[in-house]
């Protein structure tokens, strides 16, 4: 669900796992990235850390700070 080249997630998939809707809520992006970090912590496999880094770089580029809690 992560487009690692862009650092973006696709939130909603069809039953056959094709992309249905790109995004639904910004909350999913943070939770998915947190899960990738946890996977890295559990396995030590840098593929998970690289994927999380790609997402975080997108967060910075797209100024996700505007979605902060108030």
């Amino acid at each position: 669900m992560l487009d690692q080249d862009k650092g973006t997630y696709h939130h909603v998939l069809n039953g056959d796992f094709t992309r249905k809707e790109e995004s639904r809520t910004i909350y999913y992006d943070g939770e998915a990235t947190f899960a990738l970090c946890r996977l890295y912590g559990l396995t030590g496999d840098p593929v998970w850390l690289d994927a999380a880094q790609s997402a975080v770089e997108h967060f910075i580029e797209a100024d996700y700070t505007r979605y902060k809690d108030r």
Side-chain angles (χ1 to χ4, degrees):
M1 295 175 52
L2 174 68
D3 180 337
Q4 199 162 345
D5 293 331
K6 296 180 185 176
T8 58
Y9 292 99
H10 293 275
H11 296 176
V12 185
L13 303 176
N14 293 308
D16 62 355
F17 297 103
T18 57
R19 295 174 182 157
K20 179 177 182 178
E21 187 177 336
E22 185 168 337
S23 69
R24 191 145 303 167
T25 177
I26 204 72
Y27 175 78
Y28 294 159
D29 292 354
E31 289 298 308
T33 303
F34 177 67
L36 291 169
C37 292
R38 293 280 307 205
L39 276 169
Y40 174 71
L42 292 169
T43 66
D45 188 341
V47 70
W48 306 123
L49 188 59
D50 292 343
Q53 180 178 352
S54 173
V56 170
E57 287 171 357
H58 169 71
F59 297 167
I60 293 166
E61 182 179 312
D63 189 24
Y64 273 33
T65 59
R66 65 180 176 220
Y67 302 115
K68 67 183 181 296
D69 290 340
R70 296 178 193 251

